[in-house]
């Protein structure tokens, strides 16, 4: 009687295509995902409380007339000069409010540059007046810088 | 004389760990990628000081031409054509959550009055928390 030799079939899971599938998935995720920037300058507005009256001389008024064209308390200054001025004023009074007013035709990044500077110098109170507020304040004798929220 | 048998070595590149590496990459991408509901591409303004904003914050994107896209942070973004639509959107979001943060994702070169129009709408609707999206200052070529 002839002895039959059994051919053993090894139990294997074919994984040769696994890498291809995985790389296809990577390519899919890379093409379809949109990376979002989740960082920025936070700006908190006060609650509906009575407005705090600030004397004109109490607030620092930064007027942005264009990129690199700044007026600090009605004097022309560069960004480093603003930093020095704010630093000096904040040493005298750390709670000094800052009003940042921008002209309508100025690019947005110029405002961000100043707001960034205020954040870096840890200014506690930064006010960005709306154009209607600027129009109202312009009617007062002291102009902008008279009242802030 | 003995003849030497030359053993043939087969050239094989080991690819067994390839799948593991690929899956590790997938997991890395899945964990680090955050999806933005607003698809509008904008060139953000540079800033040195940046804080992380809320993940589920409402987004108002303003493109270089002043076009706007809005999202409540959950649903995909919608293009809007007027400030009245923006006003309505802000009201709807704040009715559901009065402390909701609004992210203004504006292009760096838009005119300030375009930003001001959006900012004014947020102020008028008593929005308390606003974040102005920025990007890190790019390293200068000389540095």
């Amino acid at each position: 009687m002839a002895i039959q030799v059994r051919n053993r079939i090894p139990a294997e899971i074919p994984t040769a295509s696994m890498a291809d599938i995985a790389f296809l998935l990577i390519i899919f995720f890379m093409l379809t995902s949109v990376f979002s920037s989740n960082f920025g300058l936070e700006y908190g507005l006060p609650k509906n409380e009575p407005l705090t009256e600030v004397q004109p001389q109490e607030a620092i008024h930064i007027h942005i007339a264009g990129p690199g064209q700044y007026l600090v308390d009605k004097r022309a200054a560069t960004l480093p000069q603003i930093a020095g001025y704010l630093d000096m004023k904040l040493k005298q009074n750390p709670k000094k409010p800052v009003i940042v007013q921008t002209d309508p035709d100025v690019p947005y990044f110029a405002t961000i540059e100043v707001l960034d500077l205020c954040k870096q110098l840890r200014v506690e109170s930064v006010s960005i007046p709306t154009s209607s507020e600027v129009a109202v304040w312009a009617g007062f004798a002291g102009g902008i810088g008279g009242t802030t929220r | 004389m003995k003849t030497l048998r030359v053993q043939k070595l087969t050239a094989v590149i080991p690819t067994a760990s390839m799948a593991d590496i690929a899956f590790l990459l997938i997991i890395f991408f899945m964990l680090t990628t955050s999806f933005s509901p607003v698809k509008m591409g904008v060139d953000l303004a540079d800033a040195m000081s940046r804080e992380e904003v809320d993940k589920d914050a409402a987004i108002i994107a303003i493109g270089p031409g002043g076009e706007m896209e809005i999202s409540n942070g959950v649903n995909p973004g919608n293009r809007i054509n007027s400030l009245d639509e923006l006003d309505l959107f802000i009201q709807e979001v704040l009715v559901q959550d009065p402390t909701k943060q609004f992210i203004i994702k504006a292009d760096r070169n838009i005119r300030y009055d375009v930003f001001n129009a959006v900012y004014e709408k947020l102020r008028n609707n008593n929005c308390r928390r606003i974040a102005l999206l920025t990007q890190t200052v790019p390293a200068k070529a000389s540095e």
Side-chain angles (χ1 to χ4, degrees), chain A residues 15 18-19 21-23 25-26 29-30 32-48 100-113 115-117 119-120 127-133 149, chain B residues 18-19 22-23 25-26 29-30 32-36 38-39 44-55 101 104 106-113 115-116 119-120 122-123 126-135 137:
Chain A
T15 54
M18 191 76 91
I21 297 162
F23 278 111
L25 278 170
I26 290 177
F29 276 113
M30 284 173 73
T32 55
S33 63
V34 176
F35 289 89
S36 69
S37 171
N38 287 325
F39 291 87
L41 300 171
E42 279 201 54
Y43 183 65
L45 295 163
K47 288 176 188 169
N48 268 346
V100 181
Q101 183 203 342
T102 312
D103 283 350
D105 56 342
V106 173
Y108 170 70
F109 72 85
T111 310
I112 292 293
E113 279 178 348
L115 292 176
D116 183 29
L117 186 73
K119 276 274 176 193
Q120 285 177 51
S127 177
I128 308 169
T130 60
S131 53
S132 47
E133 281 175 329
R149 291 186 81 169
Chain B
M18 191 76 91
F23 277 111
L25 278 170
I26 290 175
F29 274 113
M30 285 171 74
T32 56
T33 308
S34 53
F35 291 90
S36 171
V38 171
K39 304 286 180 207
L44 296 169
D46 306 324
M48 301 271 277
S49 54
R50 299 166 76 223
E51 295 161 77
E52 192 163 9
V53 297
D54 291 359
K55 291 252 190 286
Q101 188 179 42
I104 300 179
D107 192 275
R108 55 182 288 123
N109 292 314
I110 58 159
R111 279 167 54 106
Y112 182 78
D113 53 359
F115 162 79
N116 182 73
Y119 174 65
E120 202 156 357
L122 289 166
R123 285 277 301 268
N126 293 321
C127 170
R128 298 274 159 264
R129 297 170 64 223
I130 300 172
L132 311 174
L133 220 58
T134 58
Q135 63 181 3
V137 178

Side-chain angles (χ1 to χ4, degrees), chain B residues 11-143:
Chain B
V12 174
I13 299 167
T15 53
S17 60
M18 191 76 91
D20 303 332
I21 297 162
F23 277 111
L24 270 175
L25 278 170
I26 290 175
I27 292 162
F28 169 77
F29 274 113
M30 285 171 74
L31 292 178
T32 56
T33 308
S34 53
F35 291 90
S36 171
V38 171
K39 304 286 180 207
M40 186 187 282
V42 294
D43 184 13
L44 296 169
D46 306 324
M48 301 271 277
S49 54
R50 299 166 76 223
E51 295 161 77
E52 192 163 9
V53 297
D54 291 359
K55 291 252 190 286
D56 61 339
I59 304 166
I60 302 168
I62 311 169
E67 64 277 16
M68 286 185 214
E69 193 176 337
I70 49 167
S71 167
N72 60 3
V74 183
N75 300 332
N78 290 324
R79 287 271 175 134
I80 53 165
N81 300 315
S82 69
L83 285 170
D84 291 334
E85 282 181 74
L86 178 70
D87 205 30
L88 211 68
F89 162 73
I90 296 167
Q91 283 169 22
E92 280 172 10
V93 171
L94 288 174
V95 161
Q96 287 171 5
D97 182 4
T99 60
K100 186 97 166 173
Q101 188 179 42
F102 279 82
I103 297 173
I104 300 179
K105 183 184 175 183
D107 192 275
R108 55 182 288 123
N109 292 314
I110 58 159
R111 279 167 54 106
Y112 182 78
D113 53 359
V114 178
F115 162 79
N116 182 73
V118 174
Y119 174 65
E120 202 156 357
K121 288 284 175 202
L122 289 166
R123 285 277 301 268
N124 291 345
N125 284 296
N126 293 321
C127 170
R128 298 274 159 264
R129 297 170 64 223
I130 300 172
L132 311 174
L133 220 58
T134 58
Q135 63 181 3
T136 46
V137 178
K140 286 177 185 168
S142 57
E143 286 173 359

Side-chain angles (χ1 to χ4, degrees), chain A residues 50-74:
Chain A
L51 300 183
T52 312
E53 291 294 324
V54 177
Q55 294 304 312
Q57 65 271 23
E58 282 182 7
I60 300 166
H61 176 222
I62 303 173
H63 181 184
I64 306 166
Q69 295 170 31
Y70 310 103
L71 289 170
V72 185
D73 288 341
K74 294 176 182 173

